Amino acid sequence: MMDIQKIRSDFKILDQNVNDKPLVYLDNAATSQTPKQVIDALVGYYELDNANVHRGVHTLAGRATDAYEAARAKVARFLNARVTSEIIFTRGTTTALNLVADSYGEANISAGDEIVISYLEHHSNLIPWQQLAKRKGAILKYLDLEKDGTITVEQAEQVITEKTKIVALAHVSNVLGSITPIKEIAKVAHKHGAVIVVDGAQAVPHLKVDVQDLDADFYAFSGHKMLGPTGTGALYGKRELLEDMEPTEFGGEMIDFVELYDSTWKELPWKFEPGTPIIGGQIALGAAIDYLEAVGIDHIHQHEIELAGYAIEKMQTISGLEIYGPLDPVKRCGLVTFNLTGVHPHDVATVLDEEGIAIRAGHHCAQPLMKWLDTSSTARASFYLYNTKEEIDALIQGLELTKEYFGL
Ligand code: C6P
């Protein structure tokens, strides 16, 4: 069982009024809040250990390097990677996915090859593949979605062929909250000799992710959606794939020897980490993992199922409110995307903000999905471990007020 009040006491930011109302923060899919323990790790690094990593022989450099590499080991353990060197620190999901497209994609995609993605992808898992396909004369194919927005293995079986070289899918949709059956689709991809790249931005914060069990070839996530600082995150890749890949950025830290007309690279993972990394940030990401593990990721997932189920049940009583994605909370993570007929989602978000309630409105960086849903934008409430049913009650009241405000 989770002690929500105890958890909330670690998040000072939650204890404030916004527009004279208690803050109800329901925009966790955009970015989560940061507990004291993570802030302390960041401040502790700057107050006591600040130095560049992998370069100096002095004590602070040693401490900074040890803490940075210890954070990498935590990420490896959290995702159940085989070895720590399979974890490349990145600025987040977007950078990680671009790295795979620009390195693995560049070397392995030729004219006529197929890259398979889906209609629900975030732009970060769409544009890198779109641009790669354009550069190479490859074919970008889309998995269609079921009526409730979910992706099925049957769809994948129909679309993935012998020509498919890369399958790139979100583990959890940032709009629909739906969970993609990655493990089963990985089997289909591998049967056809393709690799599977997983966008885990909305999964790692909420679900137990085991990259070996999923048999993912690459797996990307962001630290700021899982209690860590912005500018942090990582790419997991199977060692044998990463070994064969070329860096896409060059400079200090990533080289072994540099001569006038040629250079060689460091071993994994450092050949993919040029320049001074986000040292304090990644150390704090390690502290975020400690926090999530102490609470228990399975407990967090269960809590979110309950919150999403409660929110969906209450929202269904509001006339003119359309919910997108599967209605069964077990099929999704803790977010609910919706529209109120006759009110633009930005207006919904603005009225709610007046009530101290933070939600997101817009296309959520998923324009093809908006088209598929036959809308230009939606409102989205997204939950995390510190949210409560009382906060969902406040959201529901706020939505009723929005309807009144617009005379509906
Ligand atoms: N989605 C949202 O409000 P970055 O920006 O690199 O940390 O994450 C990008 C990203 C990739 N994939 C998915 C599924 C995502 O949800 C996101 C970020 C935020 O939905 C900001 S648009």
Side-chain angles (χ1 to χ4, degrees):
M1 270 295 284
M2 284 165 49
D3 183 345
I4 307 289
Q5 288 318 318
K6 186 166 175 294
I7 289 171
R8 287 181 76 89
S9 70
D10 293 328
F11 295 81
K12 194 173 169 198
I13 196 168
L14 297 176
D15 186 20
Q16 65 173 300
N17 280 1
V18 166
N19 296 323
D20 296 329
K21 304 275 168 52
L23 169 65
V24 174
Y25 186 77
L26 302 179
D27 194 18
N28 294 286
T31 200
S32 60
Q33 297 303 345
T34 318
K36 183 179 180 307
Q37 291 81 344
V38 174
I39 296 169
D40 285 350
L42 192 60
V43 171
Y45 163 74
Y46 280 109
E47 281 186 347
L48 295 172
D49 300 332
N50 184 28
N52 213 328
V53 289
H54 307 135
R55 296 177 209 243
V57 286
H58 60 79
T59 301
L60 290 194
R63 289 213 299 254
T65 304
D66 288 350
Y68 182 70
E69 291 305 327
R72 193 193 307 278
K74 281 181 194 173
V75 173
R77 200 194 56 233
F78 195 56
L79 298 184
N80 195 27
R82 279 166 211 86
V83 284
T84 303
S85 60
E86 291 180 319
I87 302 298
I88 297 154
F89 276 134
T90 66
R91 283 195 291 115
T93 308
T94 306
T95 327
L97 293 169
N98 274 281
L99 170 56
V100 182
D102 292 348
S103 178
Y104 184 87
E106 197 61 35
N108 291 282
I109 293 290
S110 310
D113 286 346
E114 294 171 357
I115 301 166
V116 172
I117 61 173
S118 85
Y119 282 110
L120 61 68
E121 300 313 316
H122 185 280
H123 297 161
S124 293
N125 195 36
L126 191 160
I127 307 169
W129 308 116
Q130 188 187 67
Q131 296 304 306
L132 174 68
K134 277 171 103 169
R135 283 199 302 276
K136 297 287 185 170
I139 300 153
L140 190 60
K141 285 170 79 178
Y142 283 83
L143 291 185
D144 204 352
L145 311 175
E146 296 297 295
K147 272 208 183 80
D148 65 359
T150 49
I151 295 176
T152 63
V153 186
E154 291 70 33
Q155 251 295 319
E157 271 164 348
Q158 279 172 29
V159 177
I160 297 170
T161 72
E162 295 306 313
K163 287 188 173 174
T164 307
K165 295 288 184 298
I166 295 174
V167 178
L169 296 172
H171 197 170
V172 172
S173 161
N174 66 317
V175 175
L176 305 168
S178 48
I179 303 170
T180 308
I182 293 295
K183 185 174 172 174
E184 292 71 24
I185 296 178
K187 285 190 187 132
V188 181
H190 293 149
K191 193 172 76 191
H192 292 286
V195 295
I196 184 154
V197 184
V198 187
D199 168 356
Q202 300 292 350
V204 177
H206 310 284
L207 298 174
K208 174 75 201 127
V209 170
D210 179 332
V211 288
Q212 290 191 63
D213 182 54
L214 294 173
D215 203 10
D217 296 292
F218 298 100
Y219 198 105
F221 73 93
S222 302
H224 70 97
K225 294 185 197 292
M226 48 183 285
L227 312 183
T230 50
T232 67
L235 172 70
Y236 157 84
K238 283 183 183 163
R239 184 164 55 176
E240 58 275 23
L241 297 173
L242 294 173
E243 296 274 15
D244 281 349
M245 283 161 52
E246 282 295 306
T248 55
E249 288 184 296
F250 306 90
E253 295 261 351
M254 51 79 68
I255 52 87
D256 195 6
F257 288 106
V258 178
E259 291 177 89
L260 283 184
Y261 299 105
D262 209 359
S263 304
T264 55
W265 320 137
K266 263 191 188 157
E267 60 191 343
L268 283 178
W270 302 292
K271 74 172 175 178
F272 292 112
E273 293 181 10
T276 301
I278 300 147
I279 305 165
Q282 306 290 17
I283 291 170
L285 170 61
I289 290 175
D290 289 342
Y291 193 97
L292 291 172
E293 283 184 329
V295 177
I297 199 84
D298 290 336
H299 289 143
I300 294 171
H301 185 42
Q302 191 52 41
H303 177 63
E304 287 182 20
I305 289 175
E306 278 165 33
L307 290 181
Y310 186 70
I312 289 170
E313 189 190 310
K314 294 272 170 180
M315 281 179 173
Q316 280 176 321
T317 64
I318 301 177
S319 62
L321 188 145
E322 184 181 2
I323 297 172
Y324 301 99
L327 292 178
D328 180 354
V330 175
K331 286 191 177 174
R332 54 157 78 223
C333 280
L335 64 87
V336 185
T337 289
F338 60 94
N339 264 325
L340 257 184
T341 311
V343 191
H344 193 280
H346 280 133
D347 293 333
V348 175
T350 305
V351 176
L352 290 177
D353 183 54
E354 283 297 308
E355 297 301 301
I357 303 166
I359 64 157
R360 185 172 174 194
H363 55 60
H364 311 289
C365 301
Q367 286 182 5
L369 177 58
M370 291 297 122
K371 204 166 175 193
W372 189 91
L373 293 171
D374 198 22
T375 184
S376 60
S377 58
T378 68
R380 181 188 69 187
S382 52
F383 319 122
Y384 210 6
L385 70 170
Y386 35 67
N387 289 123
T388 63
K389 285 190 175 166
E390 289 71 31
E391 290 183 307
I392 290 171
D393 290 339
L395 169 69
I396 301 298
Q397 269 179 21
L399 290 172
E400 294 287 7
L401 198 81
T402 309
K403 283 183 67 179
E404 267 172 44
Y405 186 87
F406 285 93
L408 297 169

